[in-house]
Amino acid sequence: MSRVGGQVYAAGRGVVCGLGANRHEFAERIFAGECGVEPRVRTASWNVPTNVACELPIDSWSPGQRSGDPLPVALSAARQALTEAGDPDPSGVALVLASTKADLGGVAGEGDGFGQPARLARRLADSLGLGEVLACVSTACASGLMGLSLAARRLARGEQERVLVVGVDLLTEFVMAGFGCLHALDRDPCRPFDVKRRGVSLGEGAGALLLSVHRKDSMGVRVAGYGASNDACHALRPAEDGSGLLLAASRALRHAGVTAHDIDVVHVHGTGTYANDLSEARGLGDLYGGLTPPAFGSKAQIGHTLGAAGVIETLVAIESLQRGWVPENVGLNEPGVDLRLDLVRTSRRLQVARRALKVGGGFGGVQAALVLEA
Amino acid sequence: MQPEILGVGRADSVGLVGSAGPAVSWNDLGTQPGGTAKTFQALFGKEHKNFRRLDRAARLLSMACEATGVSSLISDSERQETALVIETERGCMQTDQVFAASLNAGVADSNAFPYTLSNTCLGELAIQYGLRGPSLCLSVEPQQDGVAFTEAVHLLEMGDARNVVVGRLECLDVAVAGWQPQLLALVAVLTVGSGDKALLLPSSSKVLWPESGRASFSWLDEQVTRVCPQ
């Protein structure tokens, strides 16, 4: 494996989800240990086997906008990221969109998105005046991390100067019922890694991260490495032994030119399903061969935002490095996974906050990892 | 760096051809495009234990890969570092409609739902061949052709994969809104250009990387027609 060639800097962030309409509010609530997974309101009429979700408020859409249209949500996150980066000339910014189903309008309900991420990407790029749509990644719940990896690769190769990666997915009855029919939903707020975990809580929103090759754009964190793999064992479940995650994380570390012991904090995927959490804890435990660095996840607070999760949760990992702080794993009372995974029970300061490892996976056996360096 | 092309294949509404497989029409086989588990066994002499659960898109892709010769072109030791990259314009529209219809009927179809994610068929391929490199599914606009080739070459050049199974997948039986029907799985196996592997291919079936340096799937379609017995 080669290393990332040129440097790839994080330059601007944006987020809209059930826990906040901007990154400041979002970060404060994440690090305060708040939970946005609550009784369903906007989706209350849907026939799905869960009582809860982390929903966007109904006023996320203005009068005249189609409720459930992901464009306004993605636009808001993207504009935040561009603003933090000092509003670079949009014609010099390329777009990578990451989403599972993007806009399902036309398949279910009003609209004409038909679940095609490329169609949403074109609307988003045109609305922002961006130079081009570089790619639309639709690789299940690892879409966000795979999109960030793709963007980092293009930047490192010198093909682009700035790439805006936007991950977005909204709640639909289609997707919630799908998870429901697979018996993957917890009826109550999810409890990742807990011995009593029963499944996923779904969330929705958008995350945006502007990546740049220019040091002057940097907000103090860079993408140091990335890696991916496939479990190649089951279409829906991860490898029980965590070998796919281990492979992806090892590749990301090699890319970054560091070892597992150079990592100071791990942001986990942590869906709350029995199989995922078991696999993930084993894979990370094997990566270290002993106790991992402090590890935490965010899905008990914001739900599983699917294709957006990789981007939104990378923003949390960046925030953890910048604050030098690890929030608690909300919903975790008694760990029910490999105890080598050092799941943080009470928020605490990091001794060193130089590097973070972000991991994620999805249906189709896909596993992905990023190394972030402050 | 120009990658070597080790094999090519195509499954479409008419039939199946590939540099390692038989040239057959679905009609002659007495089956629908994509075939069945029995068709797979009859064509390739081996069982595909998961074939029955696959949707049509995944079946077309699986058939095209087998006709391309993925199982023989990539050694066991190389499968750990073999990537999958697929582009699609229509994504899972067909299976989306099947699942949406099941919701409307009041019983969500748990067999269909996994295939409403366009990369599930990549997972099925990874299982079929034990491929453990990165897998990437790209949604493309109507005018785009070859984004998956670009990413595949990048993965090879950056050392992120040793081989890449790259393809275009379209599966839609009837027109939906502006999308025309199309059944197509077009596949190539790429590797880093050491030169030795491609020598194994007979010259008549060699596909050389285009001189322009940029490959597209319309180009690949022409190459399949050229080198594969019809």
Side-chain angles (χ1 to χ4, degrees), chain A residues 3-243:
Chain A
R3 294 191 59 180
V4 169
Q7 302 289 324
V8 177
Y9 301 100
R13 297 159 285 184
V15 64
V16 178
C17 72
L19 208 59
N22 60 69
R23 74 174 181 85
H24 300 290
E25 180 190 7
F26 171 70
E28 288 306 316
R29 296 182 71 184
I30 285 280
F31 282 81
E34 290 187 34
C35 176
V37 178
E38 294 178 332
R40 294 189 289 126
V41 177
R42 187 170 72 81
T43 66
S45 65
W46 298 351
N47 180 25
V48 293
T50 180
N51 302 315
V52 296
C54 187
E55 300 172 341
L56 290 170
I58 190 68
D59 62 6
S60 302
W61 294 270
S62 308
Q65 291 180 333
R66 171 168 54 92
S67 176
D69 182 355
L71 181 65
V73 180
L75 265 176
S76 175
R79 284 183 174 134
Q80 291 172 42
L82 293 168
T83 299
E84 187 184 18
D87 283 319
D89 176 4
S91 66
V93 177
L95 174 68
V96 170
L97 186 87
S99 183
T100 61
K101 300 305 291 181
D103 178 1
L104 269 166
V107 176
E110 294 176 18
D112 61 356
F114 288 96
Q116 304 303 314
R119 183 166 273 207
L120 177 62
R122 174 52 53 201
R123 293 174 68 205
L124 182 59
D126 288 349
S127 299
L128 292 165
L130 300 182
E132 65 175 306
V133 177
L134 207 54
C136 296
V137 177
S138 188
T139 309
C141 303
S143 297
L145 289 181
M146 294 298 284
L148 288 166
S149 301
L150 186 153
R153 197 159 48 236
R154 292 292 187 103
L155 289 160
R157 291 172 57 85
E159 292 182 10
Q160 301 288 335
E161 292 187 33
R162 296 181 179 88
V163 179
L164 178 65
V165 183
V166 178
V168 60
D169 262 317
L170 298 191
L171 291 169
T172 59
E173 188 171 9
F174 183 104
V175 171
M176 288 188 87
F179 275 84
C181 74
L182 297 177
H183 308 288
L185 294 177
D186 194 327
R187 286 192 172 275
D188 301 310
C190 65
R191 294 155 286 183
F193 301 106
D194 193 87
V195 70
K196 292 182 178 172
R197 66 188 183 279
R198 292 289 179 272
V200 176
S201 294
L202 291 176
E204 61 183 342
L209 183 60
L210 181 71
L211 299 177
S212 170
V213 296
H214 299 293
R215 181 184 289 272
K216 64 182 172 62
D217 291 348
S218 175
M219 56 189 197
V221 174
R222 69 184 187 94
V223 177
Y226 57 83
S229 72
N230 198 296
D231 284 315
C233 68
H234 195 279
L236 303 181
R237 286 197 304 273
E240 197 172 311
D241 63 2
S243 59

Side-chain angles (χ1 to χ4, degrees), chain B:
Chain B
M1 185 202 82
Q2 289 198 338
E4 286 179 18
I5 299 170
L6 300 179
V8 296
R10 177 180 63 213
D12 59 17
S13 58
V14 177
L16 178 69
V17 292
S19 47
V24 292
S25 75
W26 307 118
N27 206 28
D28 289 346
L29 292 167
T31 185
Q32 295 291 310
T36 65
K38 283 183 179 172
T39 321
F40 189 94
Q41 182 146 24
L43 285 172
F44 303 112
K46 57 186 170 186
E47 187 186 8
H48 185 318
K49 63 180 181 181
N50 296 327
F51 202 87
R52 281 181 183 81
R53 76 180 181 206
L54 306 185
D55 71 350
R56 176 167 285 173
R59 289 179 179 206
L60 287 166
L61 188 59
S62 179
M63 286 279 191
C65 283
E66 199 60 30
T68 299
V70 171
S71 54
S72 58
L73 291 171
I74 303 171
S75 68
D76 288 349
S77 62
E78 292 178 339
R79 293 179 187 208
Q80 189 88 347
E81 295 187 15
T82 296
L84 290 159
V85 184
I86 296 290
E87 70 179 42
T88 177
E89 182 198 337
R90 292 163 182 79
C92 307
M93 292 179 88
Q94 183 146 318
T95 303
D96 285 351
Q97 291 180 23
V98 170
F99 185 70
S102 78
L103 286 184
N104 290 336
V107 184
D109 183 342
S110 60
N111 293 321
F113 181 68
Y115 297 95
T116 65
L117 291 167
S118 48
N119 73 302
T120 299
C121 59
L122 294 188
E124 297 289 6
L125 279 189
I127 296 167
Q128 187 177 342
Y129 299 111
L131 307 181
R132 305 206 68 185
S135 50
L136 184 61
C137 186
L138 300 163
S139 167
V140 297
E141 296 180 89
Q143 75 279 10
Q144 288 183 298
D145 181 356
V147 180
F149 271 119
T150 302
E151 289 310 316
V153 172
H154 288 176
L155 288 171
L156 292 171
E157 287 181 346
M158 302 288 280
D160 295 331
R162 192 165 167 185
N163 307 293
V164 182
V165 178
V166 60
R168 173 108 182 183
L169 181 62
E170 304 295 347
C171 184
L172 190 62
D173 276 338
V174 293
V176 172
W179 284 276
Q180 293 304 306
Q182 188 177 21
L183 298 177
L184 176 68
L186 200 49
V187 173
V189 178
L190 309 185
T191 192
V192 285
S194 61
D196 52 345
K197 282 189 170 178
L199 290 176
L200 300 173
L201 298 172
S203 57
S204 60
S205 63
K206 265 187 189 165
V207 176
L208 299 176
W209 195 252
E211 287 183 5
S212 67
R214 192 179 180 285
S216 67
F217 286 97
S218 53
W219 167 82
L220 179 62
D221 200 33
E222 292 169 8
Q223 301 308 308
V224 172
T225 302
R226 181 177 68 80
V227 302
C228 300
Q230 302 295 306

